């Protein structure tokens, strides 16, 4: 990997972390734990479609690890890692059948994978009662996934001009 690509990946990680930290400051308007927009996933979706799997995985892993440090919530690392990994792997498979112009659909399905990964950890930590959150997380995840996917699609289209 050349130094330019490494610098681009570091910049993407920094942007994702900035978005993550800003989103932490926004109060959750929903009484359901774990429901949020996940705006930093715009960068993850973009990286999955723009870079090789290993490179996109570095951006995601760095964001998850550093984000848990910045948030001060160690348990969030488990949920984020499980959800992020499930989403990432699912989106890598979806990338093979969903072209970049329909990237937002991949993001919606990635959000579903993310929620399933988080619920799997919640079931392991809390117990089977955590499954009661799944329908709420899936609905909010699909809405957030559509929004972040549309944003990532715009970045992807503009990225051709910005040479990201």
């Amino acid at each position: 990997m050349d130094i330019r690509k490494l610098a681009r990946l570091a910049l993407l990680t920094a942007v994702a972390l900035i978005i993550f930290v800003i989103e932490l400051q926004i109060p959750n308007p929903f009484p359901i734990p774990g429901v949020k927009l996940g705006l930093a996933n715009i960068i993850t979706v973009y990286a999955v479609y723009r870079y090789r799997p290993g490179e996109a995985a570095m951006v995601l892993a760095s964001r998850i690890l550093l984000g848990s440090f910045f948030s001060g919530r160690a348990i969030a690392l488990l949920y984020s890692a499980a959800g992020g990994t499930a989403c990432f792997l699912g989106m890598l498979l979806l990338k093979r059948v969903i072209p970049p112009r329909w990237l937002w659909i991949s993001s919606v399905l990635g959000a579903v994978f993310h929620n399933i990964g988080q619920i799997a950890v919640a079931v392991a930590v809390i117990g089977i009662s955590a499954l009661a959150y799944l329908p709420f997380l899936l609905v909010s995840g699909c809405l957030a996934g559509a929004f972040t996917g549309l944003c990532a699609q715009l970045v992807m289209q503009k990225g051709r001009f910005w040479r990201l």
Side-chain angles (χ1 to χ4, degrees):
M1 177 183 318
D2 67 342
I3 194 73
R4 283 186 163 178
K5 186 175 275 190
L6 185 60
R8 287 183 191 129
L9 295 172
L11 183 61
L12 285 175
T13 302
V15 170
L17 281 169
I18 290 167
I19 293 170
F20 177 80
V21 170
I22 290 171
E23 190 175 2
L24 282 176
Q25 305 307 312
I26 301 170
N28 187 357
F30 305 103
I32 302 165
V35 173
K36 65 179 201 168
L37 279 176
L39 297 175
N41 290 326
I42 294 168
I43 305 303
T44 303
V45 174
Y46 171 79
V48 165
Y49 271 82
R50 173 68 172 81
Y51 294 98
R52 287 185 254 171
E55 296 164 346
M58 286 189 327
V59 171
L60 176 65
S62 299
R63 177 183 58 90
I64 288 172
L65 185 63
L66 293 171
S68 70
F69 290 142
F70 290 158
S71 70
R73 302 177 195 149
I75 193 74
L77 180 61
L78 288 174
Y79 290 101
S80 295
T85 302
C87 175
F88 180 74
L89 294 175
M91 286 187 58
L92 283 179
L93 293 173
L94 292 168
K95 178 183 171 185
R96 295 175 184 225
V97 294
I98 298 175
R101 69 172 187 220
W102 298 105
L103 179 141
W104 68 273
I105 295 172
S106 181
S107 179
V108 170
L109 296 172
V112 170
F113 291 130
H114 189 276
N115 292 143
I116 291 170
Q118 284 185 318
I119 285 294
V121 170
V123 166
V125 171
I126 299 168
I128 198 77
S129 63
L131 284 175
Y133 285 110
L134 187 58
F136 301 106
L137 289 178
L138 289 177
V139 169
S140 67
C142 286
L143 294 173
F147 179 75
T148 58
L150 288 170
C151 291
Q153 193 166 339
L154 286 172
V155 171
M156 188 79 161
Q157 290 168 352
K158 299 295 182 186
R160 291 184 196 140
F161 303 108
W162 295 340
R163 303 273 187 235
L164 288 177

